Amino acid sequence: MIHVFKTSVKSEKQVSLVGAFLNILLPYEAWNFDLEDTDRILRVETVDLMPETVITILNSQGFECNELQ
C-alpha cells in the first residue's frame, strides 16, 4: 500500500534528517519526497506501517505532516 503525505519538509538536508528515522522503521520498504510539489509530498510504500507512525516521526522532528486521502 502507498500512503501519501503533505509535509513541511523543504530541503534535502531536512529529508536526510527525517530519512534517518524512516530508514530505521522501513528497512525493507520504500519512501521518497517530492520537494518540487507544492505540498512537499512524502510517499511511503509499506505493508504494515501505520500512517500515524509516519506522522508522529515527522512531528517529533518539528515538521508538519498530514496524510492525503
Side-chain angles (χ1 to χ4, degrees):
M1 173 171 262
I2 297 176
H3 297 279
V4 180
F5 302 89
K6 176 181 178 177
T7 75
S8 64
V9 174
K10 296 178 182 174
S11 70
E12 289 297 328
K13 184 176 180 180
Q14 292 175 337
V15 168
S16 294
L17 175 69
V18 173
F21 292 95
L22 292 174
N23 284 335
I24 292 169
L25 288 175
L26 302 166
Y28 302 107
E29 316 297 334
W31 60 269
N32 64 63
F33 277 91
D34 181 355
L35 298 180
E36 294 184 18
D37 187 284
T38 57
D39 289 332
R40 297 177 198 97
I41 295 296
L42 166 61
R43 287 180 188 82
V44 176
E45 184 176 346
T46 182
V47 175
D48 57 1
L49 185 68
M50 299 298 292
E52 294 80 13
T53 303
V54 174
I55 293 168
T56 299
I57 289 170
L58 269 76
N59 289 168
S60 72
Q61 297 302 306
F63 299 106
E64 294 178 23
C65 181
N66 298 297
E67 186 173 20
L68 298 177
Q69 301 296 327

